[in-house]
Amino acid sequence: MAASDAAWGVAGALVAGLVVAGFLVWAIRLGIKVRGREQGPSRTSPRPPHPDSGDGPDMSAHERREPDEVPRAADESERLTPHQLHPGGSRRSEDQGRPRWNSGSSGSSGSGGSGAN
């Protein structure tokens, strides 16, 4: 009797698996049919060219910044208030030239040595 119950359990699991698999196949075919009836993406005219202003493709400006020093209080006991501070931690650099690699430097990795021991 126990073997018969186990056989029914296996058969029930097999039938349930086939039902689920059939439902998934049906759902995928239905999705393909619905997608085939949908309108395709709209055809728009080509985008206008970007202005040649040196900005990046995302229209963000690129500029070199340098640290803006915090002003010192006239007296050591005097505290600076927020309106006496500058709004940002950096300011626009006078030299906007692009930084170049120096032949004696290794860039951002390492100490800049020649590598020879």
Side-chain angles (χ1 to χ4, degrees):
M1 183 132 182
S4 176
D5 288 342
W8 279 108
V10 169
L14 181 65
V15 169
L18 289 174
V19 169
V20 169
F23 175 74
L24 290 174
V25 169
W26 174 80
I28 290 172
R29 291 184 65 152
L30 178 67
I32 290 172
K33 281 176 65 175
V34 168
R35 188 166 188 183
R37 284 185 288 196
E38 288 179 352
Q39 202 176 31
S42 63
R43 303 283 183 205
T44 59
S45 62
R47 294 183 179 177
H50 289 291
D52 192 25
S53 62
D55 294 339
D58 58 351
M59 303 306 289
S60 61
H62 299 283
E63 65 180 7
R64 291 187 61 189
R65 308 285 295 174
E66 60 186 25
D68 197 8
E69 300 296 325
V70 176
R72 295 252 182 226
D75 184 14
E76 292 295 324
S77 63
E78 180 185 356
R79 295 180 65 184
L80 293 174
T81 57
H83 72 273
Q84 291 171 314
L85 299 175
H86 300 147
S90 64
R91 58 188 158 115
R92 189 172 196 270
S93 176
E94 294 295 325
D95 177 24
Q96 288 297 310
R98 194 168 157 206
R100 297 292 179 191
W101 177 74
N102 295 330
S103 62
S105 170
S106 66
S108 64
S109 61
S111 63
S114 63
N117 290 343

